[in-house]
Amino acid sequence: MASSSDATSSAGSIPEPSEGSESGSISESPEGAERRGRVRLRRAAVMAVPATAVAAGLMILTAQGALGVQFAISGMPFTVTATNLDGEGFAQFGGLDQMAPGSPNEGDTGGQVLVVVSAIKKATLTKLCQSVDLGGTNLLIRAGEGSQKVSAVNLTTDSTELSGDASFDNIEIGNDASTLDKSHAQGPKGVFSQQADTVHIGNLRQTNYATTAAVFKLPGLKLSFSDKGC
């Protein structure tokens, strides 16, 4: 699983275009107007588009400025799987990640990716697999396949897809993201979120755009290239 306590601060948002004067302004090209319109619609959608949570039926309302990371993402998604994930101090809320300006991976997204930010204060993972498609071949990372598990402190992932068999202890659903106190991360005020004392996910599978951790231990690490991903 490839953010820290400050991982949820807002950064990298595309600025609103400045308003032209009522007269004497230079007309914008149709292509430029269409691009700006798409970005405006995308930013507006962040206020209302629900994202799937780890448990079926749990929805997260996302909002502009809920960024999971402080760095510019590459825009290349990567897959993470694990037979089991166990965590203490769980929080989850919506976010918006930003690619570097002019990234070749932005396509028609304007360089923005709508994500679900999952934060776990302490986590262990069994049989971790991570793969990224490099175009015909996959960079594959495996760890925690022996007696020792992968472990992480202040683990944060920014995902577009997440599935598995989940269970929670003392879960709270509908918190304001700015008031979260069970994990290491908080979101902006007014954002719908959830948190729990503990989380267990069996058969975890994620599509991620970013992962950060204060500490990340990978016993039995194996890196290779493969024609198949995780």
Side-chain angles (χ1 to χ4, degrees):
M1 302 178 68
S3 356
S4 60
S5 58
D6 58 4
T8 57
S9 62
S10 297
S13 298
I14 294 180
E16 290 289 341
S18 58
E19 296 293 334
S21 59
E22 293 184 359
S23 61
S25 60
I26 299 175
S27 299
E28 188 176 21
S29 67
E31 292 82 4
E34 181 181 356
R35 180 179 177 84
R36 291 176 182 269
R38 287 200 304 267
V39 172
R40 281 173 172 165
L41 287 173
R42 191 174 301 109
R43 295 181 66 187
V46 175
M47 299 296 292
V49 176
T52 304
V54 292
L58 300 181
M59 306 304 289
I60 297 175
L61 182 64
T62 58
Q64 176 186 353
L67 298 181
V69 293
Q70 286 187 314
F71 54 82
I73 62 172
S74 70
M76 298 178 65
F78 54 95
T79 300
V80 173
T81 65
T83 55
N84 288 290
L85 178 150
D86 291 283
E88 299 177 11
F90 170 80
Q92 194 174 63
F93 50 91
L96 190 67
D97 284 354
Q98 178 70 48
M99 301 177 204
S103 170
N105 299 319
E106 70 177 26
D108 62 355
T109 67
Q112 296 177 323
V113 179
L114 191 66
V115 295
V116 176
V117 180
S118 301
I120 304 176
K121 186 177 292 185
K122 295 181 180 180
T124 59
L125 301 99
T126 306
K127 295 184 178 180
L128 172 70
C129 178
Q130 176 179 298
S131 63
V132 56
D133 187 349
L134 301 177
T137 189
N138 291 273
L139 176 60
L140 196 66
I141 295 175
R142 294 184 180 276
E145 296 183 327
S147 59
Q148 291 182 293
K149 299 179 180 180
V150 171
S151 62
V153 177
N154 290 354
L155 175 67
T156 309
T157 59
D158 291 8
S159 312
T160 54
E161 295 183 17
L162 194 159
S163 64
D165 304 311
S167 61
F168 306 89
D169 287 334
N170 297 322
I171 190 169
E172 300 172 359
I173 303 171
N175 308 64
D176 187 295
S178 68
T179 67
L180 294 173
D181 58 6
K182 293 191 176 186
S183 188
H184 61 281
Q186 293 180 332
K189 187 176 293 185
V191 176
F192 190 97
S193 68
Q194 62 182 10
Q195 64 177 355
D197 288 345
T198 67
V199 58
H200 169 80
I201 305 177
N203 302 314
L204 171 70
R205 187 174 189 86
Q206 292 178 302
T207 300
N208 293 345
Y209 276 85
T211 296
T212 65
V215 178
F216 206 15
K217 297 182 179 180
L218 301 166
L221 174 65
K222 297 177 183 178
L223 186 151
S224 62
F225 292 98
S226 172
D227 58 351
K228 294 181 179 180
C230 298

